[in-house]
Amino acid sequence: MSLARAESRRLIKRRFTKVLLIGLLLVLAAVFAGSWFTSEKVGPSQIAAAKAEADGYYQEALRTAATDKQQCLAAAGTPQAANWPANCDELYTPTREDYDYRWYMPATFDLREDFRNMISVFAVVLAAVAFLIGASFVGAEWNSGGMMNLLLWRPQRTRVLGTKLIVFLSWLVGVSVLLGAVWAGLFRVLAEARGTTDKMTSGVWQSFGLMGLRGLGLIVAAGALGFALASLGRHTGMALGALVALGAVQIGVYVMAGLAGFKYPDLLFTPFWIFAVLYKEWVATDYTSCDYSSVAGCRPDTFTMTWQAGSIGVAAVAVLVVAAALWTMRKRDIT
């Protein structure tokens, strides 16, 4: 039996892999169910009800404004006049535009506007699962002594570890693409049944596809990082510990950078990199610097992190950690 086939069977038959996949499906099912039951198809009756509700609030606001104006006029020349403006006509008068009926519409799933967030949820959840499966796949081999036994059969260290990684990432891509297609199909059904598919064009679908590809890149990078970190520490706990330590360090660095006056502390926090990759950009804002303008008011400085920069950063970290794992595989004692 080939090494790749043996590793594929080992990955698929692992109990931890099956448990995580079942958990993944349950989480995704819960997200979809929540979207389904909180969405409602909008028709003429819902629009009429929303307009009636908006008009009711508008009329109530008009009555309140009229009462306030009467009290303001009545207070003239009395001690209570200090509680009102000198000119009662300056009091706020509600307008119809302040009560747009669309704000009172029931929640409905707009495929064009809302599916991007569902792609993001899908990518983040799968990335977390990929990290855990990758870490446990190789970590368990080291912890149980299976790696040493395997190297007696196949003494090529780099080839063994590299084959494990390739098999895992290939399996990960296949599962992600399959689940991604099902995910898109489910939300298309949701939009048709309890939402809207208005303004959907080929360009919008292309944008969804490109976002899905960027999400797939994050999933693969997360799986590779989990695998490599567990291989470096020769234990699944090494990957989990490194993840916790990274989170703690980044939070500390983020806070200290903000206190030290660093212009854009957001750039030091990994979640913002992930956001930039998924949503094409992240705009970091320096609220301590304000360029006042008589026309536009306060304009703080900003820096836009593009998805290209975020992708390069994530890929660079993944490649460096994987390279370190392969290098230590060759140099360290296996026993």
Side-chain angles (χ1 to χ4, degrees):
M1 181 182 294
S2 69
L3 178 60
R5 185 179 300 177
E7 293 302 326
S8 181
R9 287 172 58 86
R10 184 178 290 110
L11 173 63
I12 295 172
K13 289 183 176 295
R14 294 194 69 247
R15 182 180 302 174
F16 191 70
T17 301
K18 295 177 181 178
V19 169
L20 283 178
L21 285 178
I22 293 173
L24 168 66
L25 294 176
L26 290 175
V27 170
L28 294 180
V31 172
F32 177 75
S35 300
W36 179 275
F37 289 111
T38 56
S39 297
E40 181 180 339
K41 192 76 171 179
V42 173
S45 60
Q46 287 82 5
I47 295 175
K51 287 183 176 180
E53 186 176 4
D55 185 68
Y57 282 116
Y58 173 59
Q59 297 300 330
E60 181 180 351
L62 285 177
R63 289 192 293 268
T64 301
T67 301
D68 290 344
K69 189 171 184 178
Q70 290 176 358
Q71 292 177 352
C72 176
L73 293 172
T78 68
Q80 286 75 27
N83 299 327
W84 302 95
N87 183 1
C88 295
D89 291 332
E90 295 178 357
L91 288 172
Y92 166 72
T93 301
T95 64
R96 180 70 68 177
E97 290 73 19
D98 295 333
Y99 296 88
D100 192 327
Y101 78 92
R102 289 173 295 185
W103 302 342
Y104 303 91
M105 296 282 286
T108 187
F109 185 81
D110 187 332
L111 187 63
R112 179 186 175 93
E113 298 297 330
D114 299 333
F115 187 56
R116 286 182 174 84
N117 293 333
M118 295 300 103
I119 295 175
S120 178
V121 169
F122 178 85
V124 171
V125 172
L126 254 73
V129 172
F131 184 92
L132 293 175
I133 293 178
S136 67
F137 179 43
V138 70
E141 291 289 305
W142 283 113
N143 192 45
S144 65
M147 182 68 76
M148 290 180 287
N149 294 332
L150 179 58
L151 289 174
L152 293 176
W153 174 50
R154 286 291 182 92
Q156 301 96 338
R157 296 184 178 191
T158 305
R159 182 180 178 184
V160 167
L161 189 64
T163 300
K164 280 181 174 289
L165 178 60
I166 292 172
V167 166
F168 166 61
L169 294 183
S170 299
W171 173 87
L172 181 60
V173 169
V175 171
S176 299
V177 170
L178 177 61
L179 289 179
V182 174
W183 191 246
L186 287 173
F187 279 96
R188 177 59 188 265
V189 172
L190 169 60
E192 294 281 0
R194 302 176 69 88
T196 177
T197 57
D198 290 347
K199 300 180 181 180
M200 288 298 299
T201 63
S202 60
V204 175
W205 283 113
Q206 182 181 7
S207 176
F208 288 165
L210 293 174
M211 185 176 182
L213 286 176
R214 296 193 297 272
L216 179 61
L218 283 176
I219 294 168
V220 170
L225 279 172
F227 182 96
L229 288 171
S231 182
L232 282 170
R234 300 187 177 185
H235 199 285
T236 304
M238 168 63 180
L240 301 179
L243 187 63
V244 172
L246 175 64
V249 169
Q250 283 210 325
I251 292 173
V253 170
Y254 178 75
V255 172
M256 294 303 296
L259 294 175
F262 186 75
K263 197 171 180 65
Y264 302 111
D266 293 2
L267 303 181
L268 304 176
F269 208 31
T270 300
F272 296 127
W273 289 56
I274 296 174
F275 187 97
V277 172
L278 290 174
Y279 290 96
K280 298 180 67 174
E281 66 178 26
W282 168 262
V283 179
T285 304
D286 179 17
Y287 292 103
T288 62
S289 70
C290 233
D291 183 13
Y292 287 94
S293 168
S294 59
V295 177
C298 177
R299 283 186 172 178
D301 294 337
T302 61
F303 178 85
T304 300
M305 179 191 291
T306 63
W307 71 267
Q308 293 93 334
S311 299
I312 291 173
V314 172
V317 172
V319 169
L320 287 174
V321 176
V322 169
L326 292 173
W327 183 82
T328 55
M329 183 70 170
R330 293 187 59 185
K331 298 298 183 180
R332 288 173 59 187
D333 187 7
I334 298 300
T335 58

